[in-house]
Amino acid sequence: MVMTGNTVLITGGSAGIGFALAREFLTAGNEVIVCGRSERKLAQAKEQLPALHTRVSDVSDEQQRQELYNWTIESFPAVNVLVNNAGIQQRLNLQKTSEVWNHYHREIEANLEGPIHLTMLFLPHLLQQSRATVVNVTSGLAITPAAFAPIYSATKAALHSFSISLRVQLQDTPVDVVDILPPAVNTDLGGPGLHTFGADVNEFATAVFQKMDNGELEIGFGDSDRRLKASNEELKQAPKQMWERFKSNNPAF
Ligand SMILES: NC(=O)c1ccc[n+]([C@@H]2O[C@H](COP(=O)([O-])OP(=O)(O)OC[C@H]3O[C@@H](n4cnc5c(N)ncnc54)[C@H](OP(=O)(O)O)[C@@H]3O)[C@@H](O)[C@H]2O)c1
């Protein structure tokens, strides 16, 4: 992927991985638009990176996705990179569910329906550009699920699968499809303090940016890089090992 001179829309770019990628794209000479649900977080992001364009939008809401698309195309007709990054993570013991379905469904809406719908909205426009990219931020958990986050892991596996199909369908077009599979990264995903054991977010974003520049289409880092190369047997054992480790650290789960 050519990493300069693009107009890039990053969903969930006000914090965490999306914000760190926004910084990389700005530094490399791109126009960058970020969206998120919280106006306050977007304002804080703009304070740190004044060149950012911001827009309040919740990608789990169909109408807001349509409005985001309409606004972006009108305000930034040169948009040629869509980064589907926004996502949430909910930990869940399937033997102890107590919430209404909407509580669980919102993870599917944000992590899966949002990226698929936005891709379908933007695709006709992207296909008209001389070069364009759809970047989906999935997860190492797309390869081996974390049983403590079963719906989350399923959404990421599904988005990883969608990325493969999209890449195959677009192989003879100017649109590349990049799948970033982060390992644990130290952000507020799932709530503050749950990912402090993860990789430094800026180191992660810099490495990912370099790999995109090198033309890689499936991008892992650290542990997720190892998962992408793991044997079938390792892939079979990993979910059980992760679950046992999690249960011993969280006996009341
Ligand atoms: N951190 C990790 O360990 C890790 C590992 C693997 C994959 N990932 C993936 O990386 C992506 C970014 O996660 P992160 O770790 O950077 O999380 P984060 O620190 O919680 O940041 C999430 C960002 O997305 C926005 N967002 C959340 N829900 C949204 C929605 N419905 N519509 C629009 N924006 C939304 C948030 O802003 P608002 O709250 O204001 O909306 C924020 O800007 C996610 O897809 C996540 O699944 C993360």
Side-chain angles (χ1 to χ4, degrees):
M1 176 182 170
V2 178
M3 301 306 286
T4 192
N6 302 294
T7 302
V8 185
L9 170 64
I10 305 177
T11 67
S14 61
I17 291 172
F19 180 72
L21 286 174
R23 189 199 300 275
E24 294 285 339
F25 273 111
L26 276 181
T27 307
N30 298 279
E31 198 84 63
V32 183
I33 310 131
V34 296
C35 81
R37 294 164 301 179
S38 153
E39 199 159 4
R40 181 184 52 81
K41 277 198 219 169
L42 287 166
Q44 285 169 351
K46 194 163 169 65
E47 224 174 87
Q48 290 186 63
L49 300 175
L52 272 185
H53 304 282
T54 63
R55 177 81 180 174
V56 174
S57 179
D58 181 345
V59 302
S60 68
D61 182 284
E62 181 184 346
Q63 194 184 330
Q64 291 191 46
R65 292 194 293 266
Q66 184 70 54
E67 284 164 5
L68 176 65
Y69 166 74
N70 294 344
W71 173 82
T72 307
I73 293 294
E74 200 173 309
S75 315
F76 300 93
V79 63
N80 69 329
V81 179
L82 167 67
V83 183
N84 284 308
N85 164 78
I88 58 170
Q89 186 185 76
Q90 300 182 155
R91 295 180 173 187
L92 158 67
N93 183 334
L94 291 163
Q95 297 187 54
K96 297 181 189 170
T97 55
S98 55
E99 305 285 347
V100 294
W101 170 241
N102 191 43
H103 172 84
Y104 304 111
H105 182 225
R106 67 180 183 208
E107 203 171 11
I108 301 173
E109 285 178 313
N111 296 2
L112 183 60
E113 292 181 19
I116 292 178
H117 185 204
L118 282 173
T119 301
M120 291 170 72
L121 285 170
F122 277 91
L123 196 53
H125 173 83
L126 296 179
L127 283 165
Q128 284 167 22
Q129 309 308 306
S130 57
R131 61 171 212 257
T133 309
V134 175
V135 180
N136 289 329
V137 179
T138 64
S139 171
L141 302 183
I143 310 291
T144 50
F148 57 84
I151 298 178
Y152 175 86
S153 299
T155 63
K156 294 300 182 175
L159 187 59
H160 175 60
S161 164
F162 179 76
S163 305
I164 294 170
S165 299
L166 186 68
R167 189 178 299 122
V168 169
Q169 285 205 16
L170 299 182
Q171 60 191 331
D172 298 322
T173 75
V175 185
D176 286 335
V177 179
V178 173
D179 184 351
I180 300 175
L181 299 94
V185 177
N186 186 3
T187 69
D188 284 349
L189 185 70
L194 290 183
H195 283 88
T196 47
F197 62 95
D200 177 81
V201 68
N202 292 318
E203 268 174 43
F204 167 75
T206 303
V208 163
F209 204 77
Q210 186 59 56
K211 288 183 180 198
M212 281 199 271
D213 196 18
N214 294 345
E216 290 187 34
L217 298 178
E218 280 193 347
I219 299 178
F221 179 78
D223 188 51
S224 63
D225 222 4
R226 285 188 285 282
R227 278 183 214 199
L228 279 168
K229 294 166 190 147
S231 68
N232 272 344
E233 195 45 41
E234 286 168 322
L235 294 178
K236 258 189 228 157
Q237 293 307 322
K240 284 184 218 155
Q241 289 163 354
M242 252 192 290
W243 176 243
E244 273 151 27
R245 229 177 12 249
F246 178 82
K247 283 287 279 178
S248 80
N249 291 333
N250 302 273
F253 183 71

